[in-house]
Amino acid sequence: MYFDLHIHTQASDGALTAEQVVDSAVKTGVPGISITDHDTINGLEVALKYKKDKKLEIDLVPGIEINTDWEKSELHILGYYVDYENTLLKERLQDIKDARYERAVKIVKKLQNLGFAIDLEEVKEKAQGELIGRPHIAQVLLEKKQVHTIREAFIRYIGVNTPAYVPRYKFSPFEAIDLIKHSGGTAVLAHPGLVKEQEKIKLMINHGIEGLEVYYPEHNEVQTRDYFSVCKKYDLAVTGGSDFHGYGDEKRNTAIGTVGLNEELYKEFQYRCCRNK
Ligand code: AMP
Ligand code: ZN
Ligand code: FE
Ligand code: FE
């Protein structure tokens, strides 16, 4: 079992609560994890408190995954050891949440205009007070039998180039990197193998990204080796994780602790993240 530094909970788009994630990791003997929800830190405090109350033996690294866009590439920036009480971090994450809410209002209106029986309240309920995403909207459409599958909702109505599509608020990778560093964290480029324009990776390094997620379920051996070399060449942290979401979905069925860092790499990662603090 590896130290798994990329895990989602219900606070973003995962299926399990933070407590369930911690329990599952402890039960299967995973030595350490990082909860890295998209654009929110709401699972972190819950997990840390749970660990303390239950006196569990597991390392919990505070983390986040900020979704950003730059030209044609979607770049996900991981932040490790962020101070989740930092005011600016909290403010900017609240901005993202507010923007997502406004976007959901627009999407629902468009769907209503298309004749769908869908209500904002139903969508809000699905999100349970957390950030609203299109999957929540798709879920409501599915449950109300307005579509046959989640996929159909995306392909016909809420995906790019469909009638009820509304783009997401765009956070830039540069702002995400600066924000993570400002809140005391280490900024790492998530799953570089999935970046559409590979030349963006070098530009991220020039802009101060401090690590690459080398170990990732969708990286092949060649990619893993190449990104590892890039880390050595530019003196970057090596990280890794399963990107566990807890769904049976074919792309995301990697169990907690099956991808990540061995103890030696984990110690080095910790040293890099914490040496200047
Ligand atoms: P949002 O962040 O609100 O734009 O929603 C993006 C999320 O929607 C992605 O992370 C996926 O989980 C999901 N998604 C996007 N496209 C599809 C699709 N074609 N079928 C199912 N889920 C999708
Ligand atoms: Zn996710
Ligand atoms: Fe990601
Ligand atoms: Fe992720």
Side-chain angles (χ1 to χ4, degrees):
M1 282 291 159
Y2 294 105
F3 289 84
D4 187 340
L5 303 177
H6 192 153
I7 294 173
H8 295 274
T9 75
Q10 265 175 24
S12 64
D13 55 351
L16 307 184
T17 63
E19 289 99 331
Q20 287 170 330
V21 162
V22 173
D23 268 343
S24 161
V26 169
K27 203 178 290 165
T28 51
V30 178
I33 59 168
S34 183
I35 290 176
T36 52
D37 279 313
H38 299 287
D39 306 329
T40 176
I41 46 174
N42 291 353
L44 291 184
E45 269 169 298
V46 177
L48 289 166
K49 182 172 182 305
Y50 185 71
K51 170 189 154 152
K52 203 169 152 219
D53 291 350
K54 294 250 163 171
K55 300 191 172 61
L56 300 172
E57 290 260 345
I58 184 167
D59 266 21
L60 289 184
V61 177
I64 187 164
E65 181 176 27
I66 302 182
N67 285 14
T68 78
D69 293 273
W70 184 18
E71 295 174 355
K72 291 189 180 66
S73 296
E74 197 174 313
L75 300 155
H76 294 182
I77 313 294
L78 293 158
Y80 291 112
Y81 294 101
V82 284
D83 167 15
Y84 50 86
E85 290 182 341
N86 181 276
T87 313
L88 184 67
L89 179 67
K90 280 185 159 174
E91 276 174 18
R92 295 299 287 132
L93 295 179
Q94 185 62 45
D95 291 343
I96 295 177
K97 190 172 175 181
D98 294 345
R100 276 190 171 276
Y101 181 85
E102 293 307 323
R103 174 194 188 218
V105 171
K106 287 183 194 161
I107 296 175
V108 167
K109 237 178 230 148
K110 284 188 169 199
L111 287 169
Q112 287 167 345
N113 288 340
L114 289 168
F116 285 102
I118 183 168
D119 198 84
L120 186 64
E121 290 307 315
E122 298 165 324
V123 174
K124 279 162 71 176
E125 199 169 303
K126 278 272 164 277
Q128 293 171 59
E130 300 291 352
L131 286 81
I132 304 178
R134 284 180 296 162
H136 297 122
I137 296 173
Q139 200 75 47
V140 173
L141 289 174
L142 179 68
E143 279 172 21
K144 300 189 81 181
K145 301 202 164 42
Q146 308 280 300
V147 292
H148 297 95
T149 61
I150 295 284
R151 220 178 121 69
E152 184 191 349
F154 276 90
I155 290 172
R156 296 183 64 179
Y157 307 111
I158 60 175
V160 187
N161 296 324
T162 66
Y165 176 68
V166 179
R168 191 161 50 86
Y169 164 73
K170 304 270 194 272
F171 212 78
S172 94
F174 312 107
E175 190 187 350
I177 292 172
D178 294 347
L179 182 62
I180 288 165
K181 289 186 175 177
H182 172 86
S183 51
T186 298
V188 171
L189 180 64
H191 40 70
L194 305 187
V195 174
K196 210 186 241 175
E197 304 151 295
Q198 286 287 298
E199 68 277 11
K200 291 280 189 281
I201 297 171
K202 182 68 201 308
L203 296 167
M204 288 283 93
I205 296 170
N206 292 342
H207 192 82
I209 205 92
E210 298 165 291
L212 298 182
E213 189 175 43
V214 172
Y215 299 97
Y216 190 75
E218 290 172 56
H219 286 172
N220 61 35
E221 266 174 57
V222 176
Q223 286 172 313
T224 305
R225 204 177 332 120
D226 286 353
Y227 295 131
F228 192 89
S229 310
V230 174
C231 287
K232 295 298 139 193
K233 184 170 172 197
Y234 294 99
D235 191 31
L236 303 172
V238 171
T239 78
S242 64
D243 208 355
F244 176 82
H245 281 76
Y247 290 106
D249 162 340
E250 72 284 352
K251 262 176 102 182
R252 290 177 163 171
N253 60 358
T254 329
I256 298 174
T258 54
V259 180
L261 300 181
N262 62 27
E263 181 152 9
E264 187 188 340
L265 285 171
Y266 177 69
K267 293 282 176 228
E268 189 181 329
F269 159 76
Q270 278 188 312
Y271 171 73
R272 280 177 174 274
C273 291
C274 304
R275 64 186 157 183
N276 300 323
K277 282 160 211 158

